[in-house]
Structure formats: structure tokens, C-alpha cells
Amino acid sequence: MRRLAGLVVIPLLLLSVAACGDDGGSDSTSSKNGFPEITAGAKFGEKPTLAKGEGTPPKELQTDVVSEGDGAKLKKGDAIQVNYLGQSWDSTKPFDNSFDRKAPFDLTLGAGMVIQGWDKGLEGQKIGSRVELVIPPDLGYGAQGQGADIKPNATLVFVVDILKATQVPTTAKGTEVAQDNADLPKVGVNADGKAPKVTIPKTDPPTKLVSNYVLESKGEAVKATDTVVLNYEALLWKDAKTFDSTYKNGKTVTFPLPQLTLKGLKDGVVGKKVGSRVLIVIPPADAFGDKEQQGIPKNSTLVFAVDILAKV
């Protein structure tokens, strides 16, 4: 089964960190309570400068609350937004940071979107906190490393500012909307957190984008600039074959809509209310056109049953 997440542009996922060149790290070696010291930019919201770690790095995950916020504690499954700077223990130069990009990073905690050290180290921390994480290789990139800047078996150090978080429900809920067009797929209305059944008619697909409520909530309308957390079933119209499913993978996806390259999915979600379930039928012109994509045949019409669970 193909993962749609591989067909969208979502930079900065920490499973595939992008190097950002010279971020101007500290040349000093200094530690505080065993953690590499923040030598400049120590306050929440400021870009930090990290000293090089001293001595042998710890073999277990270490977490230091640099400054504690007064928000709720993060829970597994929360959609969170953070700023961060990452640096190897034995380096004086950051390999990545979101501060310079002025683009906070969105993720669903515990969904496997990032290295394990993040999922484990951030759970239980409060919104508004600045946290320093020291992550051993087995919870980072392990023996394979990552690109030229993260060596094999590197211990990583991150300073993370927790900006906000949203609790993500397990399913869409709302008023059932009649599905009375016999020429369109029918989507199940179950609200048990399991995948809804999608039945595709044996007719020609529509030639224009369809985006219809199945369950309409009372949530806020999604804007094109939002980051959304979705559950979905994705099928080919032609043979009703499922090509992607967050339910089967057991993980929601978090999509920053400005970076979503599948136009029909983006257009189908924008304007719909958070908490709703939506049927989206995407003609080839708004999908992948005349190009085959990871096993999806060219000129395919795509069918999505989408739960818009939250926006960050």
C-alpha cells in the first residue's frame, strides 16, 4: 500500500532532516547539569546557540526543562507546533533549525513522524516550555546516520520550544448529510474510529472536483494556510482499490496545506469544517494527470473519505 505522505512536499520531517548550512554555532565546550550549555539566546522564542558537549555522551535519553510553560501537558496523539534547533553532541555547528526559516514545525506526537527521541522526550512537557533533549543513536538515526551532517551513531542535542498543541479526536462527528447522488461514492458514517466503508458506483467518474460533507460538524472552516490533521481512506475509482489508508497504518497525518502538492485534496479540504467527514473525488487534472505515481496509474480519478480531525 502506498503512503500518500510520500507524494506531498512536507519539509523538515525529522525522519529526513535537511541540512541548512552554516548556522553559526558556538566554538566552546560547556555543559550545565550534563547538558550542552545554551550560550546565547536562552529565552523561549530566541534562536539558541549551543556549546559542544563535554566528555562521553549519555547512553539514555535525557530531558532538561530549560524554562517551563504554564500550558497543558503534551499527550500522545496531540497535534503540536514547535520551533527547534538540532546539533550533534560532538559538533559546534547546528545541522538544522526552524528559527532561521521562521517556519515552526508541525507534527502529531507519538505518530512516528519524527525520531523516537522526540516522541518520547516531548510527551508530558507543558505548552510554552523550552526543553533540551539529548538523544542517543538508538532513538535518533542509529548506525546509518543522516546525510553528511549527522554521522553514524551520532548523539543528537535539540532545543525545542513548544508553541501550541491541539488534542486530536479519534473520529469525525457531526450531522449526517444525505448522500442521494447515485453517481457518487457512498461513505460510511460510523464514529468508532475505524475506517468508513467506501462504495464506488459502476459509473463514469465526475470530471470536476467533488467535495461533499458526509458528517458535518460545527467546527471552524479550514483555511488554505492551515496545517490539518487527517484520517483518510484513499481509493482508485476504476477498480475501487485502496491505495492508501491512515487507518491501516494506525497513524494520522499532519499536512501543512501550503505544502500539499495534491491539488484536489487541498481544494477539497479548504472551506470544510474541522471535525467533519468529507467525500472528495479528484479528477486526473487535480490529481496526478497523465503521469503514473508510485503505482497509481496515469489518468486516475481518486476517491477520498477524509476525517478532518484538527488543525494546528
Side-chain angles (χ1 to χ4, degrees):
M1 183 171 291
R2 305 295 178 180
R3 288 291 285 136
L4 182 66
L7 302 179
V8 298
V9 177
I10 305 179
L12 313 183
L13 290 186
L14 296 179
L15 287 173
S16 55
V17 161
C20 294
D22 186 0
D23 283 305
S26 169
D27 291 330
S28 66
T29 300
S30 181
S31 66
K32 183 178 181 181
N33 301 324
F35 290 79
E37 187 173 2
I38 301 174
T39 58
K43 294 181 180 179
F44 183 93
E46 296 178 344
K47 178 188 173 183
T49 300
L50 271 174
K52 184 178 178 181
E54 286 185 339
T56 302
K59 295 183 179 180
E60 304 291 334
L61 174 67
Q62 303 293 319
T63 304
D64 179 46
V65 179
V66 179
S67 61
E68 187 173 58
D70 56 7
K73 291 184 177 181
L74 301 184
K75 302 182 297 299
K76 187 178 295 185
D78 284 352
I80 71 172
Q81 186 176 87
V82 302
N83 269 321
Y84 68 90
L85 179 141
Q87 186 168 302
S88 293
W89 175 273
D90 59 357
S91 175
T92 60
K93 186 177 76 171
F95 55 75
D96 193 21
N97 88 87
S98 65
F99 293 92
D100 286 347
R101 288 185 291 270
K102 303 186 186 306
F105 178 60
D106 300 301
L107 68 142
T108 301
L109 194 63
M113 292 176 59
V114 290
I115 54 177
Q116 292 184 60
W118 269 52
D119 278 339
K120 294 177 181 292
L122 294 180
E123 186 175 354
Q125 304 300 332
K126 292 183 178 180
I127 299 168
S129 296
R130 166 165 284 194
V131 180
E132 186 173 351
L133 305 174
V134 178
I135 301 175
D138 61 315
L139 298 179
Y141 296 99
Q144 77 273 13
Q146 182 70 30
D149 291 285
I150 302 178
K151 300 175 182 178
N153 296 310
T155 295
L156 307 179
V157 183
F158 285 92
V159 176
V160 182
D161 286 355
I162 304 169
L163 304 178
K164 57 183 179 179
T166 302
Q167 186 172 1
V168 179
T170 58
T171 186
K173 292 183 179 180
T175 302
E176 291 186 25
V177 177
Q179 302 180 69
D180 49 13
N181 187 336
D183 294 327
L184 291 179
K186 301 296 186 290
V187 178
V189 295
N190 56 297
D192 55 5
K194 297 180 180 179
K197 182 179 179 181
V198 181
T199 304
I200 299 176
K202 297 185 182 301
T203 58
D204 291 335
T207 58
K208 294 184 178 181
L209 180 72
V210 173
S211 178
N212 293 341
Y213 282 115
V214 176
L215 297 172
E216 183 176 2
S217 77
K218 296 181 180 180
E220 186 178 350
V222 174
K223 301 187 294 292
T225 55
D226 286 335
T227 292
V228 293
V229 183
L230 309 178
N231 258 337
Y232 60 76
E233 287 282 287
L235 304 89
L236 301 176
W237 181 288
K238 184 176 181 180
D239 56 9
K241 181 180 179 181
T242 300
F243 66 86
D244 193 14
S245 170
T246 59
Y247 298 94
K248 185 170 183 178
N249 294 313
K251 298 173 182 177
T252 60
V253 293
T254 302
F255 285 153
L257 291 179
Q259 298 159 14
L260 184 57
T261 61
L262 185 52
K263 182 178 184 298
L265 182 57
K266 176 180 178 178
D267 291 348
V269 168
V270 170
K272 292 297 188 282
K273 299 174 184 176
V274 175
S276 299
R277 178 170 297 162
V278 182
L279 165 69
I280 302 175
V281 182
I282 308 175
D286 293 322
F288 303 115
D290 60 0
K291 296 180 180 179
E292 185 268 345
Q293 288 277 2
Q294 297 189 20
I296 299 173
K298 63 181 181 179
N299 297 317
S300 289
T301 295
L302 309 181
V303 178
F304 282 81
V306 179
D307 280 11
I308 308 172
L309 298 177
K311 70 174 185 175
V312 183

